[in-house]
């Protein structure tokens, strides 16, 4: 079943529209979280800080409390996508809740250490009246739930981001939290049930990364886990196998990067919308039967 899509795009004559845009996305997020938590009572999603909770800043700090246990306690994951509306700096981070410190950092969002993240990208601040392409994509199909908010501030790729991606790992049945910065750098945190430890990622796993031919959709979409650096030693260490972190069926990868929200029609008749430079795409129409 194709995802539910809500277009939140803005015209270019509406001034600096980011706060209002994030406010609309937040309303949709809260409605989806309420339903998703009801479907997954042993795994709860919590918004610690939202777009209206930190004056001068815009974004989210989210927590996912999983059914998985570590040291007898539920595993908790946190992600942050926070824009400073004075400087334009965007901070993105994903990691374990043990690295989170509430407080005045990021206007009241608090600070998250450990995990993966960046502060290397910027939004464009007023007075430039730029158009904003924006979309919320979501699904509440059992075991395939996800919520994604993506926007494109310019027609070139370093002003696009997937600000939020909450998705069920269809392999483990656990939530994972993901996002990208304004240059498409991914930050993802998940939990490996088979080898109890955190899994982090900064990239998608794809069969072919180039933007040249052949053009291809890759399904299922998976994260590429960060693995420790391998050193030559004797005796050789054992091989480590990683359980994949696979996204729901309505999400896939495309090996061509569009400048803004590209549209793809696959050979099976399905239709897909690209959500930014990360190459993530969401299904708009199911295959033709």
């Amino acid at each position: 079943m194709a995802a539910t899509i809500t277009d939140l795009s803005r015209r270019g004559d509406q001034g600096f529209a980011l706060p209002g845009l994030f406010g609309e996305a937040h309303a949709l997020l809260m409605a989806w979280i309420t339903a998703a938590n009801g479907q997954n009572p042993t795994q709860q999603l919590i918004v610690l800080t939202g777009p209206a909770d930190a004056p001068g800043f815009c974004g989210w700090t989210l927590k996912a409390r999983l059914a998985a246990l570590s040291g007898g306690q539920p595993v908790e994951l946190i992600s942050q996508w926070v824009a400073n509306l004075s400087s334009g700096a965007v901070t993105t981070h994903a990691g374990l809740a043990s690295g989170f410190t509430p407080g005045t950092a990021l206007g009241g969002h608090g600070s998250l250490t450990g995990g993966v993240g960046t502060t290397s990208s910027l939004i464009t601040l007023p007075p430039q009246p730029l158009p904003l392409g924006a979309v919320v994509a979501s699904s509440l199909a059992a075991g395939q739930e996800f919520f994604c908010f993506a926007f494109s501030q310019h027609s070139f790729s370093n002003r696009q981001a997937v600000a939020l991606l909450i998705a069920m790992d269809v392999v483990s049945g656990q939530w994972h939290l993901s996002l990208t910065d304004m240059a498409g750098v991914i930050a993802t945190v998940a939990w490996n049930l088979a080898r109890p430890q955190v899994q982090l990622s900064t990239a998608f796993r794809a069969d072919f990364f180039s933007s040249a031919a052949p053009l291809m959709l890759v399904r299922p979409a998976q994260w590429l886990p960060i693995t420790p650096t391998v050193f030559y030693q004797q005796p050789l260490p054992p091989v480590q196998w990683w359980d994949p972190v696979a996204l729901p069926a309505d999400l896939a990868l495309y090996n061509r990067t569009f400048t803004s929200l590209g549209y793809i029609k696959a050979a099976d008749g399905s239709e897909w919308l690209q959500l930014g430079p990360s190459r993530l795409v969401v299904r708009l129409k199911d295959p033709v039967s």
Side-chain angles (χ1 to χ4, degrees):
M1 180 178 180
T4 298
I5 307 292
T6 304
D7 184 8
L8 301 178
S9 301
R10 299 291 200 275
R11 300 195 313 264
D13 60 352
Q14 293 174 296
F16 186 60
L18 205 64
L21 171 66
F22 274 55
E24 287 191 37
H26 183 71
L28 294 170
L29 170 66
M30 294 307 298
W32 180 87
I33 282 180
T34 298
N37 283 345
Q39 292 182 188
N40 298 276
T42 63
Q43 299 197 79
Q44 295 294 288
L45 298 164
I46 303 163
V47 176
L48 298 180
T49 308
D53 298 331
F57 290 77
C58 195
W60 291 271
T61 299
L62 302 172
K63 181 166 70 174
R65 181 176 293 126
L66 307 184
L69 300 179
S70 178
Q73 298 298 316
V75 174
E76 293 185 333
L77 314 176
I78 283 186
S79 71
Q80 291 184 309
W81 196 105
V82 183
N84 184 321
L85 299 183
S86 297
S87 68
V90 175
T91 298
T92 64
H93 215 111
L96 287 171
S98 57
F100 178 68
T101 304
T104 59
L106 298 176
H109 279 265
S111 63
L112 181 61
T113 58
V116 289
T118 71
T119 54
S120 60
S121 59
L122 299 173
I123 58 172
T124 300
L125 299 171
Q128 298 91 339
L130 294 167
L132 280 168
V135 64
V136 164
S138 65
S139 172
L140 287 166
Q144 301 279 329
E145 297 99 329
F146 75 91
F147 182 95
C148 181
F149 167 54
F151 73 101
S152 176
Q153 198 175 29
H154 287 179
S155 62
F156 47 87
S157 62
N158 67 346
R159 289 295 183 270
Q160 301 180 68
V162 177
L164 287 175
L165 176 56
I166 306 168
M168 186 68 69
D169 171 8
V170 299
V171 176
S172 71
Q174 306 285 310
W175 292 119
H176 62 280
L177 304 177
S178 314
L179 44 82
T180 72
D181 68 4
M182 295 297 286
V185 178
I186 298 168
T188 300
V189 60
W191 187 254
N192 188 334
L193 291 177
R195 185 186 299 272
Q197 63 189 52
V198 66
Q199 283 188 226
L200 305 170
S201 175
T202 57
F204 283 120
R205 180 175 181 176
D207 296 330
F208 193 76
F209 281 102
S210 171
S211 291
L215 304 180
M216 59 189 297
L217 279 167
V218 179
R219 289 170 278 179
Q222 296 181 25
W223 300 112
L224 181 64
I226 293 176
T227 57
T229 302
V230 177
F231 297 96
Y232 179 77
Q233 65 185 59
Q234 289 289 353
L236 293 175
V239 173
Q240 293 190 24
W241 295 98
W242 294 83
D243 285 347
V245 179
L247 279 69
D250 279 332
L251 297 169
L253 305 179
Y254 190 62
N255 68 310
R256 173 65 59 87
T257 298
F258 284 97
T259 56
S260 178
L261 301 174
Y263 196 86
I264 303 131
K265 186 168 184 177
D268 62 5
S270 60
E271 298 182 25
W272 304 77
L273 179 70
Q274 186 160 10
L275 297 176
S278 63
R279 297 186 170 94
L280 183 69
V281 296
V282 61
R283 181 159 53 193
L284 302 180
K285 292 185 180 180
D286 291 321
V288 176
S289 57

